[in-house]
Amino acid sequence: MATAKPRVKVPKSASAGDVITIKTLISHKMESGQRKDKKGNVIPRKIINRFECTFNGATVFSCDIDPAISANPYFEFTAKVMEPGTFRFVWTDDDGAVYETEKTIAVS
Amino acid sequence: MKLTRRDALTYSAGAIAMALVGLRGVSAHAGTEETGTAVSGFTGGVEPQSGMITLKAPEIAENGNTVPVSISVDSPMTADDYVESVAIFAEGNPNPEVVVFNFTPLSGEAAATTRMRLAKTQNVVAVAKTSTGKVFMDKREVKVTIGGCGG
């Protein structure tokens, strides 16, 4: 699959001060750079090396990723919401490509 | 060709060197020492304490390609005292580094789950660094039936 497709699960609404759980998944081969093809040549490394989640512009959670993360990297983490707003998710590939998605949440 | 004693010594030294290089090539694993170096690189030399952090991983992983692993740290997560980052290391992988989670007070809890690759049965180490400069560590052994590093 050429383009990585992000999938994110955020609750639609929450009450102020709640700690919510966010689940993210993106389809990506995460080629580790350790494998070899049939001719014995090393397949070059190509992974997503960074993931970041921001809420209304402020960083909530981020991670630096090494090749030991499985294909189709999955991350589950929490966020504390005080006001309604938009979560923005950004994945950065080794080749500089950036995959993005957004989710809004209503807070009462 | 006449083999002098000096030549013989040179050749055998070369052969031993080759053998060592060969061995290094075969055992492409990080090992405990390298993991220790990676851990102290992450903590900045601070000796980790046990407790506070919990590393959850299966006792037996059938497939080393996707091993679910989660960490959680007991922390108030306020602006003054929160967990800055948690790193996961795998001792038996070609490179010990797995992932570094960076938290902020907005995270609410210092907890995260992901899926990792494990080459073989080994220890998985999680190290947490707080904003107050404390370092905590937890270790767990995961038995791997099928390794997950291709090759």
Side-chain angles (χ1 to χ4, degrees):
Chain A
M1 197 158 132
T3 50
K5 188 174 158 245
R7 278 191 285 168
V8 175
K9 218 171 191 176
V10 177
K12 283 198 176 67
S13 62
S15 13
D18 272 5
V19 174
I20 58 162
T21 303
I22 298 174
K23 295 174 180 178
T24 71
L25 183 71
I26 186 163
S27 56
H28 194 284
K29 274 185 109 165
M30 298 292 279
E31 194 58 65
S32 67
Q34 302 280 344
R35 298 200 307 155
K36 288 175 180 156
D37 64 12
K38 279 180 189 152
K39 287 176 189 148
N41 305 316
V42 172
I43 306 172
R45 170 184 143 155
K46 188 181 185 295
I47 65 165
I48 288 172
N49 56 42
R50 193 169 164 79
F51 165 70
E52 189 168 7
C53 168
T54 56
F55 181 64
N56 292 345
T59 305
V60 173
F61 172 84
S62 70
C63 54
D64 304 309
I65 305 165
D66 281 283
I69 290 294
S70 303
N72 304 332
Y74 168 83
F75 295 106
E76 188 182 318
F77 54 93
T78 56
K80 193 174 189 176
V81 286
M82 301 306 286
E83 76 259 348
T86 309
F87 283 103
R88 191 179 170 78
F89 305 90
V90 180
W91 291 261
T92 313
D93 202 314
D94 264 351
D95 63 11
V98 171
Y99 316 111
E100 290 174 310
T101 187
E102 281 184 353
K103 284 273 178 238
T104 50
I105 185 167
V107 172
S108 49
Chain B
M1 179 185 141
K2 202 179 152 214
L3 198 65
T4 62
R5 200 164 105 152
R6 182 170 296 182
D7 282 344
L9 277 173
T10 325
Y11 291 144
S12 58
I16 289 168
M18 288 297 285
L20 283 177
V21 168
L23 276 178
R24 277 196 73 91
V26 172
S27 65
H29 297 299
T32 340
E33 251 174 66
E34 209 174 304
T35 310
T37 319
V39 169
S40 57
F42 171 73
T43 62
V46 181
E47 195 59 35
Q49 309 167 21
S50 59
M52 300 297 271
I53 180 168
T54 318
L55 170 70
K56 245 193 254 168
E59 217 166 282
I60 298 173
E62 266 178 34
N63 183 355
N65 267 317
T66 51
V67 183
V69 53
S70 49
I71 54 102
S72 64
V73 189
D74 204 352
S75 163
M77 293 306 272
T78 56
D80 312 318
D81 183 9
Y82 65 97
V83 176
E84 269 176 359
S85 46
V86 174
I88 299 179
F89 300 96
E91 288 181 354
N93 275 5
N95 298 307
E97 295 87 3
V98 176
V99 70
V100 181
F101 298 121
N102 303 305
F103 298 99
T104 64
L106 278 178
S107 306
E109 280 170 29
T113 302
T114 187
R115 295 174 188 149
M116 64 192 277
R117 289 180 175 136
L118 291 176
K120 56 169 189 173
T121 299
Q122 58 180 288
N123 285 329
V124 177
V125 181
V127 187
K129 212 161 56 172
T130 68
S131 61
T132 51
K134 292 203 179 96
V135 176
F136 299 103
M137 187 165 112
D138 194 13
K139 198 186 243 188
R140 203 154 295 275
E141 191 190 25
V142 180
K143 290 195 170 69
V144 177
T145 320
I146 306 166
C149 277

